[in-house]
Amino acid sequence: MRNQQFAIRPTQPAEALRELEEIHFLTTDNQDLTSPTALLLNFYDLSWPEYQDHASVTAQLANLMATPDEDGWTYLTTHDTLPVTVFYNLALQRLGFSPELDFQLTDPLAAMAKIQLPVSGHATDDFTVNELKQAWYLLLTTHTKNGQSFLDHLTTHGYFAPFVTDPSVPKPLIFNGKAQAVFDTTHLIREVVYVESPQDTDHDGHRDLLKAEIIRPVETATGLKVPVLYTASPYNQGTNDEAGEALTHNVNVPLQPKQPQQVTLADLATPATDALPDPRPVTTSTHTAVETFAREQSYTLNDYFLARGFAVVYAAGIGTRDSDGVRTTGDPEETTSTIAIIEWLAGNRTAFTTRAATEAIPAWWSNHQVAMTGRSYLGTLATAAATSGVTGLKTIISEAAISNWYDYYRDGGLVIAPGGFPGEDADVLAEETFSRELLPGDYHRIQAKWQADLAGITHDQDRATGNYNSFWDARNYIKHAQNIKADLLLVHGLNDWNVKPRNVNNLWNAVRDLPVTKKLILHQGQHIYINAFRSIDYTDIVNLWLTHELLGVDNQADTLLPNVIIQDNVEPETWHAAADWDNPANNERVFNLQHDELVDAGTQDPQPYATSFNDQLPVAQYHRYTKDIAAWQKELLGDKHNDLFGHRLIFKSAVLTDDLILDGKPTVTLQVAVNQPVGMLSFQVVDYGEAARLGVSPTILARKALDEGYRWREDDLREFQLAAPTPWKMITKGHRNLQNRTNAYQIDELKPNQFYDLTVTLQPTHYKLVAGHQLGLVIYATDFGMTVRGNQDLQYSIQLAQANLAIPTVTD
């Protein structure tokens, strides 16, 4: 295994000593010890909080080996000197590593280097007492074999349990720039409020009330003000899965020709909103909520911070159970709904104790510093909130988030499904999350209004053309990126074909020059969380980040954390720091398309040669692919002469003599003709070469192996692992309607059998193609996983004389 820790804060020796005192590892009992072995013995005595008697601790230490011949207890009680090797032999075992299996007792430093664990640089042979204190400080920050810091490991065994009720302990308690779990999770306060949002989406003449569920430390009851993690989840109050499934659109329909039209972005302006009802009058107020709840759809990252003194708020927003309004799928109304909760938490909006709205309640326990967390739709609403510039939102931790809903459900004038969900669209998602439907009485009163609104979404999303229009323009958060004031921690999977990488890439590029701190983590997974991975200290990164952002601790999170962290796609459990992603100054390598080859531009003269393929499949083959998309993908990229021969084009480079690292957006330029006035092209860039590759879904290494605090909630330990060897790996893809050659909102004329210039920018990526492999480009039309599937008799011809593939590259 490999361990990457980006969030260990370099700490000056004097500060390290002070922090060791604050967490009670340096005490009046051991401060005056002059023997390093005696001090280490004391440290280990303190590091088994679950054992209250000295004999049990003795037995535990005796079960560790200090040298190949002496156990830990024997060594520390019979020697005065403490060699570095003895310290790290014992340390590795306390971190969960096994002698002979994970490391050799004769050379623990070799294992430390291989696993990439930090080694104290304060001694070369034997530790002095002062050097030992610094080494112990560093060890507490070091990750165990199970992917959490040693101090977090001690926490889960009760190390901080006495701190919870100790009035002398500062709260929050900071160690190595991160908040520690010294809060009482056995008596968390759970309460419900109803925030009045400045909107009336159900047009009932009253501003919408939005249910918010709050979990806060019991310490707030006596005056402690705490920061807030807010997760806006439209799924939080339930979903209508069957209704959503019933509304899913049929994608086995033909691509339709479109009437040419000239449109500008100005033509897509969003219409003005309706007049807003007056706010409810506030006559009385209280600090005591009257409603509570038993369970929440929790997020384990939020759970981790509940033990560390952060409050957590969950809200589902307009059109959800126990709230007013209707679902709108990502438009400005949903942004307003999302930020209304932040405004209340920051002291700038009214909430009530019940839906009767007779008694107001402030967020009196909040320190007015808010972060938003969440993945997918949840992260999307965090992005939307950030682009509003709302006061009180200090940062977002946005994972796998949409930045432009057109890029989620459309691409280049085509209806494009999120990967794995053919036929889903904005109306399907609205219906699925309209959890007011789960309350029959409430739904009875709102049903007619909702059905009319839902029909409006279906009409306005325009599946007939797939064009960018005013509906999608209203759901484009990138337009408002200049409003962002919150710092950004963005996380995305390079193999996420649900929320495709273009979403995070466009946001990253839009904020590159904004005066906010922004960090980006790119992993090799699909649509997943990465907060329980062994190889990267993601939880520590977030802790360092939030302690800086919400608690105002000067822990250098803004400079210590790399701008970009990218997971290697070749070496397991390997992450790299980078200055940027998809930098405009990246070099570019251009390949010409020549017959079946990709040839470096300039090495051969382009040949006047056209090639073609037909998109129509035999009926049985077509129906097989509609039911087995994986089989289609396998055959699409497989042998040239398989069942898809004549239905796609494959171009391959010569075998690479050096590694090629793609970083950014590949671009395909060519001339294309089609035999009818309608058509589309799809592209996949491919790594051809037999290899074991990382799976895009993580493997669970150990269930419930990660405790979020002492006797608190748990999470599964995960990691990406190598899968069985495959002959290829799809790197990235892209699509374009041939009637949208100019852009996604203008419709161009398409005459049969006439060649047109076409340039298509594919989804951004970062990918290492190793020497010995081939770079491939596959050109086809129907994408059975994403486009409509009409099985039309469309003959495509590609003029290769000017056709090329441009790859942005970086070096190691």
Side-chain angles (χ1 to χ4, degrees), residues 496-518:
D496 189 347
W497 301 109
N498 182 322
V499 177
K500 302 168 193 69
R502 179 172 294 149
N503 281 277
V504 73
N505 179 260
N506 284 343
L507 180 59
W508 180 253
N509 286 325
V511 302
R512 177 177 274 113
D513 297 326
L514 287 184
V516 297
T517 303
K518 49 267 183 186

Side-chain angles (χ1 to χ4, degrees), residues 507-728:
L507 180 59
W508 180 253
N509 286 325
V511 302
R512 177 177 274 113
D513 297 326
L514 287 184
V516 297
T517 303
K518 49 267 183 186
K519 307 293 180 182
L520 173 66
I521 301 176
L522 299 172
H523 59 81
Q524 292 298 326
Q526 46 186 0
H527 200 60
I528 61 170
Y529 285 117
I530 65 166
N531 60 295
F533 275 61
R534 182 174 68 183
S535 60
I536 184 173
D537 60 337
Y538 180 71
T539 301
D540 294 344
I541 288 171
V542 175
N543 196 343
L544 191 79
W545 182 260
L546 291 179
T547 300
H548 173 77
E549 294 285 334
L550 302 189
L551 293 174
V553 174
D554 183 16
N555 59 13
Q556 295 83 53
D558 52 340
T559 55
L560 177 61
L561 297 176
N563 290 342
V564 182
I565 300 173
I566 305 176
Q567 186 185 14
D568 196 288
N569 63 281
V570 177
E571 294 292 333
E573 303 190 17
T574 302
W575 302 74
H576 304 289
D580 202 356
W581 177 46
D582 186 34
N583 191 295
N586 282 353
N587 294 323
E588 189 174 71
R589 185 169 174 182
V590 179
F591 295 86
N592 294 140
L593 278 58
Q594 302 253 341
H595 297 278
D596 298 334
E597 299 177 323
L598 291 175
V599 180
D600 276 301
T603 60
Q604 296 183 20
D605 292 332
Q607 300 296 314
Y609 173 76
T611 187
S612 63
F613 67 94
N614 191 287
D615 196 39
Q616 191 170 50
L617 301 172
V619 172
Q621 184 180 357
Y622 165 76
H623 286 301
R624 177 165 65 91
Y625 290 157
T626 62
K627 296 177 176 63
D628 190 349
I629 295 172
W632 163 77
Q633 177 70 14
K634 181 178 180 180
E635 293 178 16
L636 177 76
L637 304 186
D639 183 76
K640 175 183 177 181
H641 295 284
N642 65 17
D643 286 348
L644 279 176
F645 180 71
H647 300 291
R648 48 80 164 108
L649 305 173
I650 297 180
F651 302 87
K652 294 182 182 180
S653 72
V655 174
L656 297 175
T657 57
D658 299 296
D659 293 348
L660 177 64
I661 302 177
L662 289 66
D663 186 83
K665 301 180 285 288
T667 303
V668 177
T669 302
L670 46 72
Q671 291 184 322
V672 58
V674 62
N675 63 338
Q676 296 187 36
V678 62
M680 61 179 168
L681 282 185
S682 300
F683 306 88
Q684 291 190 19
V685 175
V686 185
D687 170 5
Y688 281 104
E690 189 78 16
R693 297 177 170 89
L694 292 177
V696 297
S697 296
T699 299
I700 295 178
L701 302 180
R703 293 194 179 276
K704 303 303 179 183
L706 295 177
D707 292 299
E708 310 296 341
Y710 179 51
R711 296 177 180 173
W712 180 224
R713 293 172 176 171
E714 301 164 326
D715 201 0
D716 297 331
L717 179 66
R718 307 176 185 89
E719 192 56 67
F720 293 113
Q721 295 188 323
L722 292 174
T726 57
W728 46 259

